[in-house]
Amino acid sequence: MSPTIAPSPRVAIYARQSEDVDQGIVQQLDDCRKEAVRRNWRVVAEFRDNDTGASKARGPKTDWSKMLREFDAGTFDVLLVTETSRLTRSLTDVLDVCPPRRDMRVVVIREGIDTDIDDFMLKQLVLLAEREVKIKAARAARYAAERRKEGHPGAGKTPHGYRWVPASDRGLTNTRYTINEAEASDVRRIFAEFLAGAPLGQIARDLNDAGRSTRRGARWRSDLVRRILMNPFYAAQLPPAQPTGKHSLANIDVEACTPGAWEAIVGLEQLIAARGRLVGVKPNHNGTARRWLLSGLAVCSVCSEPVRSARGRTHPTARKDGTGTSPSKLYHTYRCVNGHFMRNGDVIDDYVAVMCVARLSEPDAVALLVAQPDGEDISALHNRRDALRASRKNVFRLIDDDPARLADAEDRLNDLEHQLRTLDEEITKVTSRSPFADLVGVEDVRAWWESATLARRRSVVDFLMSVSIRPVGKGRRVATWEAVADSVRLIPKV
């Protein structure tokens, strides 16, 4: 009677690595395939987890979970891996493949492990790997604490406006960020436009119209603009660490930030002012961008409703020589939502622009544009803010030395927090009083106006005057500024 030949086992290959690099996965699969050929085993499935850590829980969407489900379904008999560390660095995962939960045969090529013979070595190597992970984590936490104490950010996505400095180029300052001027100009523009009153959507549209794009080459959106305005990094402030997966710019306490060891792109008062307008306010990403100077600003003189922009179409008559009509053309108009008029918008825009430039060119314009704050200047407010922050730190030190003092210190901490919030509101007000400070000293106001964004021009119009448009009668053309002046009323605000 001839001996019974055992059937060739069905083999599944598992490959994993922490970094998102295809080469490592490809090499693991290639090594496992060669081993399967050497043993005359048949490969029936391959599982790969790229950019997946082995010391953290692997969710239901990973190939690790898929591999376990396939084993439970009877798809394969043997799991083949190159190294124990490719399988896992957690004993919890080992228990997923060993009895009593599962009796999976695992073969590890480089360590010469076969759990069909003995699974002791597999568990020992995983325990050693798990211990190494914990030691590295403790070492990394200590390094991170020292790094934060010196004001250095951790490695990660570098904010738009900065460039990450490699370790070999940091020099004595050891700074991680250096300003990317091309991108930093976008950041400065975003803060300046927002603090001058421009909506988020309008800022995004103006950036796109100017040919600017994000670092990835994408178009700007209002939510991206909002994130920049909320980010303390731009004022060289290092925010406190947040739980993994729960990072939120809105939850960052600027008072808890520490000075960063890199150059600021905007001032701290600008950051405080911007966040003061955004934190706690529900994001609104719809319908805020405008294409024309007066849409939503001017009103109808009959019903006082804000006018809308629209497109008109010419209706040319036949030529005198009988050769037909000239082509019909679209043109920009303003219309009353209640139907009182639809008028050519270009000539009205030009007239309002001329009047704004004339007003900004008058001798008293500087006093209007940069009103002096009532009371302390911005530097004095910052000095008071620094003193309050120092007092708060002293209270926390007292609590650390004697936790029993927490109840007594609670009222003092609440008072300091209230003073800091009040001071931040005052800084926001002072900063907002000078939205057009960049106009001071400008000799050619007309050139400034022509180079300004639509959002900035609209802010100037809204700051200087109220615009009321009157109907002129059906079929009447208003093509000169003199005619516009008779039908467009400008009411000065300042």
Side-chain angles (χ1 to χ4, degrees):
M1 188 173 178
S2 59
T4 302
I5 300 176
S8 175
R10 297 167 301 164
V11 175
I13 298 173
Y14 180 73
R16 184 209 60 79
Q17 64 181 5
S18 299
E19 297 182 1
D20 187 7
V21 181
D22 290 335
Q23 184 179 3
I25 293 290
V26 170
Q27 290 175 348
Q28 292 177 53
L29 293 173
D30 188 50
D31 290 345
C32 287
R33 290 168 188 154
K34 290 178 181 178
E35 180 67 15
V37 170
R38 188 183 72 81
R39 294 177 179 247
N40 198 28
W41 286 352
R42 180 166 56 98
V43 176
V44 297
E46 292 181 353
F47 305 96
R48 58 189 76 189
D49 275 325
N50 202 3
D51 194 20
T52 304
S55 57
K56 297 180 181 178
R58 283 172 272 190
K61 294 183 179 181
T62 63
D63 265 24
W64 169 264
S65 295
K66 182 180 178 182
M67 180 269 294
L68 295 178
R69 293 194 298 269
E70 290 295 323
F71 177 79
D72 293 340
T75 303
F76 64 92
D77 309 305
V78 178
L79 183 65
L80 189 61
V81 296
T82 56
E83 300 175 14
T84 305
S85 60
R86 298 304 94 201
L87 181 70
T88 182
R89 295 179 187 270
S90 169
L91 187 60
T92 302
D93 289 339
V94 173
L95 298 178
D96 276 335
V97 301
C98 292
R101 191 168 298 171
R102 290 179 182 86
D103 192 6
M104 185 186 299
R105 181 182 177 187
V106 180
V107 174
V108 185
I109 298 173
R110 295 201 173 94
E111 281 97 357
I113 296 173
D114 187 341
T115 59
D116 198 33
I117 301 172
D118 186 5
D119 64 359
F120 175 76
M121 186 57 67
L122 176 66
K123 294 177 181 178
Q124 285 295 103
L125 290 175
V126 171
L127 281 172
L128 290 173
E130 191 172 53
R131 179 176 179 273
E132 182 184 358
V133 168
K134 292 179 179 179
I135 292 173
K136 285 183 177 180
R139 190 184 303 131
R142 181 177 178 183
Y143 170 72
E146 290 297 323
R147 185 188 64 230
R148 291 187 62 81
K149 188 176 180 181
E150 296 174 0
H152 296 304
K157 185 178 179 181
T158 306
H160 186 89
Y162 288 105
R163 184 183 295 109
W164 179 261
V165 181
S168 58
D169 299 334
R170 289 173 188 166
L172 297 176
T173 59
N174 203 28
T175 185
R176 268 74 164 172
Y177 288 165
T178 185
I179 290 179
N180 180 333
E181 284 299 337
E183 295 181 354
S185 63
D186 296 335
V187 176
R188 296 188 188 101
R189 176 174 176 170
I190 286 170
F191 274 88
E193 296 293 305
F194 181 72
L195 294 177
L200 302 179
Q202 187 67 59
I203 297 172
R205 166 172 276 178
D206 288 343
L207 285 168
N208 293 327
D209 290 345
R212 304 300 300 165
S213 61
T214 67
R215 182 174 297 161
R216 295 184 176 181
R219 290 175 59 82
W220 284 95
R221 305 189 310 269
S222 55
D223 60 316
L224 300 178
V225 172
R226 189 175 192 271
R227 268 186 263 173
I228 282 182
L229 292 165
M230 298 272 284
N231 196 336
F233 278 94
Y234 294 114
Q237 296 293 305
L238 183 63
Q242 292 185 323
T244 303
K246 296 183 179 181
H247 182 268
S248 169
L249 288 170
N251 291 340
I252 293 174
D253 181 4
V254 177
E255 305 301 336
C257 294
T258 55
W262 65 89
E263 186 179 353
I265 294 178
V266 299
L268 181 58
E269 66 277 2
Q270 291 176 285
L271 173 71
I272 293 172
R275 287 180 60 88
R277 295 185 184 183
L278 294 172
V279 175
V281 178
K282 185 178 180 180
N284 179 14
H285 306 309
N286 300 318
T288 55
R290 305 287 186 177
R291 294 189 62 186
W292 305 105
L293 183 64
L294 300 175
S295 54
L297 286 181
V299 298
C300 170
S301 64
V302 178
C303 61
S304 299
E305 290 289 334
V307 302
R308 303 280 180 85
S309 61
R311 284 289 189 182
R313 182 181 290 275
T314 60
H315 300 282
T317 57
R319 296 189 180 97
K320 292 181 179 180
D321 61 4
T323 58
T325 60
S326 59
S328 177
K329 297 180 180 179
L330 294 174
Y331 63 96
H332 155 49
T333 69
Y334 290 121
R335 67 177 179 87
C336 170
V337 294
N338 294 316
H340 292 119
F341 64 80
M342 179 181 240
R343 296 186 50 183
N344 187 304
D346 290 332
V347 67
I348 297 176
D349 285 350
D350 289 343
Y351 171 71
V352 172
V354 167
M355 299 306 293
C356 285
V357 169
R359 183 67 185 94
L360 294 173
S361 301
E362 292 179 4
D364 67 336
V366 172
L368 296 175
L369 296 172
V370 188
Q372 295 301 315
D374 300 327
E376 296 173 288
D377 61 18
I378 195 70
S379 60
L381 293 173
H382 276 299
N383 289 337
R384 285 180 55 200
R385 188 173 182 272
D386 291 341
L388 289 173
R389 293 185 69 184
S391 297
R392 189 177 65 167
K393 286 183 179 179
N394 289 335
V395 174
F396 280 123
R397 289 194 190 100
L398 289 174
I399 297 173
D400 288 339
D401 293 339
D402 185 1
R405 297 181 180 179
L406 177 60
D408 296 334
E410 190 171 0
D411 290 341
R412 175 59 176 160
L413 285 173
N414 289 338
D415 180 58
L416 288 171
E417 292 290 347
H418 174 72
Q419 291 186 58
L420 281 166
R421 283 195 298 270
T422 302
L423 201 55
D424 283 351
E425 291 173 1
E426 182 62 23
I427 290 174
T428 299
K429 291 178 182 178
V430 172
T431 304
S432 301
R433 286 178 185 141
S434 304
F436 310 114
D438 57 334
L439 256 171
V440 176
V442 173
E443 295 182 0
D444 191 343
V445 178
R446 181 70 192 184
W448 178 92
W449 176 272
E450 291 177 350
S451 65
T453 63
L454 176 61
R456 183 60 65 93
R457 296 181 196 177
R458 286 173 54 84
S459 296
V460 170
V461 173
D462 191 38
F463 178 73
L464 293 177
M465 61 188 67
S466 298
V467 182
S468 177
I469 302 176
R470 298 201 301 266
V472 294
K474 188 174 181 179
R476 180 186 170 191
R477 291 189 63 190
V478 178
T480 65
W481 290 346
E482 290 78 10
V484 173
D486 291 337
S487 58
V488 176
R489 186 185 180 193
L490 306 182
I491 305 172
K493 292 182 180 179
V494 291

